[in-house]
Amino acid sequence: MDVLHLLSDGMLLALQPLNLLLILIGVSVGLFIGAMPGLGSVNGVAILLPITFLVPPTGAIIFLAAIYYGAMYGGAISSITLGIPGASTAVATTFDGRPLARQGRASLALVTAALASFVGGTIANVLFTLFAPLLAGVALSFGPPEIFALMLLAFATFVGLGGDDIPKTIFSICFGLVIGAIGFDQISGAPRLVLFDMSEFLKGIGFLVLAIGVYGIGEMLWTIEQTRGEVETTNPKMTMRGMAADAKEATKRGWKGSMIGSFLGFFVGVLPAAGATPGSLMAYGVAKMVSRKPEEYGRGTPDGVAAPEAANNAASTGSMLPMLTLGIPGSPTTAILLGGMVIWGLVPGPRLFAEETEFVWGLIGSFYVSNFAALLINLAFIPLFIWMLRMPFTILAPVIFVLSIVGGYAATRSMFDLWLMIAFGIGAFFLRRFDYPLAPAVLAIVLGPIAEPTLRQSLLLSSGDPSIFFTRPIAGPITIVALILIFLPALKLLRRIGARKPAA
Amino acid sequence: MTISKRGFLALACAATLAAAPIHAFAADWQPRKPIDFVIMAGPGGGADQIARFIQSVAEKKGLTRRPLVPNNKGGGSGAEALIHLTTVNDPDHTILVTLNSFFTTPIRQENLGIDIMTFTPVAMMGVDPFVLWIHKDSGITTVDQFIETVKSMNGEYVMGGTGSGQEDSIVIAYMSEAFGLNVKYIPYDGGGAVAKDLAGKQIMATVNNPAEAKGFYEAGDFVPLLAFSDERMEAYPDVPTIRELGHDFSYYNQRAVVGAPGMSDEAAAYYQDLFTQIYESEEWQGYLASESLSPLWMNAEEQTAYWAKQVETHRKLLAALGG
């Protein structure tokens, strides 16, 4: 049985009228759920799970996967147009998407996001098709030390960058780590950092609360302060020609980010600990690190939109892999899909690939079709999103505020979290005012809770000996690269001093 | 704001569709919004699998007017979930799938001030036995070989489990005491992560519930060595119980659903009725059999009595094992 034969069978199955219809509906629904602040693929898949009992299992999972896909595309929309992350997976998209929109280049950002998502999805699908069983083995070889090394690498990409003020970056990371540590300690089970003895802090800080606060409310305050309401809303009329020009520019200036995002995102998605949010943040960091013009990042570069968007789509395909091959969900959304599979009478786990060939390959085939459908639907709606941006900022600002509040409440259903969100918004505004980079703090809050338990599990494994991070075949090289990246700025500085001496 | 309108519309349509096949049973109280279905553990573990299975049965049969929305709160050995239930402002729409950490966590962390006797009993869906698993590549096939290997490694034998001071560590600590073993214990946030790391040979043995290890057992990767059940399990007839080896011990994980403290009587009656229907469904009975769970049905009063007894048992177990 060769792979191409199985894949073509799978695609034919996905293209059957019922399945194709499910894909189109799923992608459209996902797109809008993803675009709504506070609602992400998790909510979409959970809410629509009951509908899937009306169709056969293959159709059901195709439908849910299409929603998952659509939501990954949709998250970028509000990140770019409003500056509110549509879903936690699209937080990194705001870093450059929002500046582009403010420069009147929202269409470029949206087209870049759509194309990068497509590239990310496609590359991940091909990797999935060819290497699924092999990659399942790779996922298993990642124990706690390997995952910690990977997290270290992610932090390193944010520290070892030229352009930003390094002490401020480190401060920002530490701040994020502290916020991420609030709540319960997984290893000992003890509560910690319960500020003011308020029991609400016991559950920790929800990532979405922080993201909406920092990027929705903080960004709005920042824009008001910077422009006093005089934001230029002039946008070129969206024409087919304009979009084609954007597509050309997006390809030229975003291909590198797309490539990095696709491969990195897929790989991070495959690891059961991570998922699309860490994947997209890491892709952003790496893209910035390898860029020749890192100073453009954060000010509006298509690469900065392409990397996280390619990564979150690639990661969503990637996280299907441990679910299908090992029966272990790689992300919260796949955990729900897994629940669905059990009730459809399928046993997820090592034998699914061998025993449910039609189901598995139908699903894989549907990835390709969904990805294509999502691209077309997304591109078709771009003029609509652009039109929305023509509203004067004096109207848009209150809309952003209301959407942030409603989105935040929808996600957490807690008034305490709303106040916290507003506090984060105000705090973020002041940090920005004093030129503290916010992205490293956000990264630290996402990755800290993964890095900390894996660090402590590793040290338990080695009885406290840190050499475990250097001696293991996979962890070792990753750790060394991470450390080099962290100390690179220091080396550069030394060299500069060394070079100056003879001249003096 | 075309996007948001459309978004809301899409959601509204979804909600209507979700609500369409309402099962007709006569209860005065009905949920008015999605039910927060809290799980005391991370995704992929035994409690999580059960919660998602229950959700699926409820959805498939159209038993609830509003969907059950699973919500993993595994932090702090389930303390995160318990705190969530005691602080939630709408107890009528908040229910919890429990493990034994429902008993152990409040004992271990008295400063949290959680009194589980204030929670609302809903349903005891079954109890889940524990089994000692090793990877087939270790070459070990019997308990004796296992004991010998662990002893020869002088404390370097690594076992993983969910959390610390809860089910897995209680079972491992008892076993170590009984056989005179010295193992290194690594806590994880859920049974799924534990199973994955045994499959990847990051750790050497686990005491997962059968449901958590089944996929890898069927694929031939995991080997069961010892059962911590009262009698030999149907699915693993050749696996001896620890009782047969002369140690008077059995340990099960409770798979129960409880309501938030302060839930109204009407809502409690609704959930008790709902979970009785789920319990009696063909799907759940099939799940009990295929995942090797033992049935242990109880009504509300029996559950409260059972809780009181379990709290005492666990207080003694934890004290004996030094926490």
Side-chain angles (χ1 to χ4, degrees):
Chain A
M1 289 288 247
D2 84 87
V3 168
L4 280 178
H5 179 70
L6 287 165
L7 180 64
S8 59
D9 278 359
M11 278 203 197
L12 281 179
L13 194 67
L15 286 170
Q16 280 174 4
L18 174 68
N19 291 341
L20 190 61
L21 183 73
L22 287 170
I23 287 176
L24 292 178
I25 298 174
V27 165
S28 312
V29 170
L31 203 63
F32 285 105
I33 288 178
M36 281 293 296
L39 293 179
S41 55
V42 184
N43 314 72
V45 171
I47 294 167
L48 295 170
L49 188 66
I51 299 182
T52 62
F53 299 119
L54 306 173
V55 294
T58 313
I61 192 140
I62 285 175
F63 180 61
L64 294 179
I67 295 173
Y68 194 14
Y69 248 107
M72 291 296 158
Y73 273 85
I77 294 164
S78 46
S79 293
I80 291 169
T81 55
L82 302 174
I84 318 172
S88 56
T89 49
V91 169
T93 313
T94 56
F95 297 171
D96 277 276
R98 183 65 186 146
L100 275 174
R102 281 182 53 192
Q103 292 156 22
R105 311 287 327 261
S107 61
L108 174 65
L110 287 168
V111 171
T112 308
L115 291 177
S117 297
F118 180 71
V119 171
T122 306
I123 289 179
N125 288 340
V126 172
L127 291 174
F128 190 111
T129 310
L130 298 177
F131 305 115
L134 188 78
L135 283 166
V138 174
L140 283 182
S141 65
F142 266 68
E146 284 75 21
I147 292 176
F148 177 73
L150 198 67
M151 294 299 123
L152 199 64
L153 186 64
F155 284 119
T157 58
F158 270 71
V159 179
L161 300 169
D164 287 334
D165 187 333
I166 289 166
K168 282 183 173 171
T169 305
I170 291 176
F171 171 83
S172 188
I173 287 185
C174 292
F175 183 71
L177 286 175
V178 171
I179 300 271
I182 291 176
F184 281 99
D185 169 20
Q186 184 197 318
I187 302 291
S188 70
R192 59 185 179 188
L193 284 174
V194 183
L195 308 173
F196 316 114
D197 277 329
M198 290 170 80
S199 63
E200 284 87 352
F201 281 110
L202 280 169
K203 63 177 192 278
I205 307 286
F207 175 59
L208 211 59
V209 170
L210 182 111
I212 294 180
V214 169
Y215 289 102
I217 295 174
E219 169 75 28
M220 181 196 69
L221 293 174
W222 174 252
T223 313
I224 292 172
E225 201 258 355
Q226 288 292 295
T227 61
R228 312 275 166 200
E230 302 286 318
V231 183
E232 70 285 11
T233 51
T234 45
N235 254 301
K237 257 209 174 103
M238 277 308 288
T239 55
M240 283 313 276
R241 195 181 294 168
M243 230 154 97
D246 281 334
K248 210 169 152 192
E249 190 177 349
T251 318
K252 210 173 132 202
R253 294 177 60 195
W255 69 270
K256 218 164 143 190
S258 303
M259 287 303 138
I260 293 167
S262 304
F263 287 98
L264 192 71
F266 178 71
F267 187 69
V268 173
V270 167
L271 300 176
T277 307
S280 61
L281 284 161
M282 285 171 72
Y284 183 86
V286 172
K288 185 175 177 185
M289 188 181 64
V290 301
S291 169
R292 267 193 226 123
K293 295 178 200 153
E295 68 281 357
E296 280 185 0
Y297 279 74
R299 302 206 169 90
T301 170
D303 261 334
V305 174
E309 276 306 304
N312 67 27
N313 274 61
S316 63
T317 301
S319 63
M320 297 273 183
L321 200 146
M323 179 189 81
L324 291 172
T325 54
L326 305 171
I328 294 161
S331 70
T333 312
T334 46
I336 298 172
L337 294 181
L338 200 67
M341 283 164 67
V342 175
I343 194 79
W344 302 323
L346 298 162
V347 182
R351 294 194 310 165
L352 186 77
F353 244 81
E355 289 178 1
E356 300 286 347
T357 327
E358 191 186 285
F359 173 83
V360 170
W361 287 98
L363 176 63
I364 297 174
S366 85
F367 291 168
Y368 287 86
V369 181
S370 296
N371 198 23
F372 194 64
L375 176 72
L376 291 184
I377 294 174
N378 197 346
L379 286 177
F381 276 115
I382 285 179
L384 183 77
F385 305 134
I386 299 290
W387 170 80
M388 213 174 58
L389 268 185
R390 292 217 204 119
M391 251 184 283
F393 192 71
T394 39
I395 295 180
L396 210 52
V399 169
I400 291 174
F401 187 70
V402 169
L403 274 180
S404 298
I405 300 287
V406 172
Y409 190 76
T412 64
R413 280 180 276 158
S414 147
M415 271 315 282
F416 176 80
D417 283 345
L418 274 194
W419 294 118
L420 207 59
M421 198 170 84
I422 293 172
F424 278 130
I426 296 169
F429 168 74
F430 282 108
L431 282 178
R432 254 186 109 166
R433 199 77 189 75
F434 299 117
D435 279 334
Y436 283 91
L438 293 173
V442 172
L443 180 92
I445 290 161
V446 175
L447 302 186
I450 303 173
E452 192 216 327
T454 48
L455 169 67
R456 292 169 64 187
Q457 284 166 344
S458 307
L459 291 175
L460 280 170
L461 276 171
S462 68
S463 307
D465 183 358
S467 69
I468 187 169
F469 298 113
F470 297 96
T471 52
R472 291 171 55 121
I474 300 176
I478 302 178
T479 312
I480 289 164
V481 172
L483 290 180
I484 291 173
L485 287 177
I486 291 173
F487 291 111
L488 206 58
L491 287 177
K492 266 188 194 159
L493 204 71
L494 282 178
R495 214 168 51 189
R496 213 178 298 156
I497 295 167
R500 230 177 262 160
K501 260 183 191 160
Chain B
M1 290 316 301
T2 321
I3 293 192
S4 53
K5 246 187 214 163
R6 274 175 188 266
F8 275 129
L9 262 178
L11 281 178
C13 292
T16 320
L17 276 168
I22 298 168
H23 189 83
F25 51 83
D28 301 329
W29 189 89
Q30 289 283 347
R32 296 179 304 279
K33 60 183 201 186
I35 301 157
D36 192 7
F37 195 36
V38 186
I39 303 153
M40 284 185 89
D48 185 59
Q49 288 177 12
I50 282 172
R52 297 191 189 278
F53 189 84
I54 288 175
Q55 179 212 13
S56 304
V57 175
E59 300 286 12
K60 188 181 180 186
K61 298 185 152 270
L63 296 177
T64 54
R65 189 191 284 269
R66 292 285 178 274
L68 293 163
V69 182
N71 181 1
N72 290 96
K73 289 198 177 290
S77 299
E80 188 189 359
L82 293 173
I83 295 280
H84 177 68
L85 254 77
T86 48
T87 54
V88 77
N89 49 24
D90 186 4
D92 282 2
H93 291 89
T94 311
I95 54 177
L96 173 72
V97 178
T98 62
L99 293 70
N100 286 3
S101 46
F102 181 63
F103 308 119
T104 52
T105 299
I107 298 175
R108 292 179 57 240
Q109 292 175 31
E110 281 178 344
N111 56 333
L112 296 179
I114 292 168
D115 178 9
I116 59 158
M117 302 312 286
T118 61
F119 284 64
T120 312
V122 173
M124 173 60 98
M125 304 299 287
V127 288
D128 211 346
F130 287 82
V131 173
L132 173 67
W133 303 92
I134 45 112
H135 197 281
K136 71 159 192 307
D137 291 356
S138 67
I140 296 170
T141 51
T142 66
V143 183
D144 289 339
Q145 284 173 350
F146 170 78
I147 294 171
E148 203 176 296
T149 310
V150 177
K151 282 186 172 163
S152 71
M153 289 183 69
N154 282 328
E156 288 299 309
Y157 195 87
V158 181
M159 290 188 71
T162 303
S164 39
Q166 62 188 78
E167 305 83 357
D168 291 12
S169 49
I170 288 177
V171 172
I172 290 174
Y174 184 88
M175 181 182 75
S176 307
E177 188 79 17
F179 299 133
L181 306 176
N182 181 12
V183 301
K184 204 183 266 182
Y185 177 76
I186 314 283
Y188 284 84
D189 68 346
V194 177
K196 182 219 140 208
D197 269 7
L198 179 60
K201 289 181 268 183
Q202 308 292 340
I203 51 180
M204 299 167 191
T206 73
V207 287
N208 272 351
N209 299 117
E212 294 165 339
K214 197 175 161 231
F216 292 102
Y217 165 70
E218 286 175 354
D221 292 332
F222 288 7
V223 180
L225 291 182
L226 182 65
F228 297 92
S229 51
D230 289 314
E231 280 154 21
R232 286 201 180 200
M233 291 160 63
E234 251 173 62
Y236 313 100
D238 300 330
V239 178
T241 66
I242 192 166
R243 199 157 265 166
E244 289 172 41
L245 302 181
H247 299 280
D248 185 22
F249 179 76
S250 71
Y251 196 76
Y252 292 89
N253 214 342
Q254 79 155 355
R255 301 300 186 192
V257 179
V258 308
M263 179 182 273
S264 67
D265 291 344
E266 296 79 28
Y270 169 82
Y271 291 115
Q272 283 157 4
D273 185 33
L274 170 68
F275 282 94
T276 308
Q277 291 184 52
I278 293 172
Y279 182 83
E280 284 164 359
S281 70
E282 221 174 276
E283 287 87 352
W284 181 254
Q285 292 301 323
Y287 187 88
L288 287 179
S290 76
E291 307 298 316
S292 308
L293 267 72
S294 307
L296 188 71
W297 184 251
M298 291 184 218
N299 64 28
E301 293 85 58
E302 286 166 343
Q303 283 176 56
T304 328
Y306 178 79
W307 292 353
K309 208 176 88 197
Q310 285 291 321
V311 169
E312 272 323 296
T313 312
H314 279 96
R315 211 180 280 282
K316 280 181 201 146
L317 270 174
L318 288 174
L321 301 170

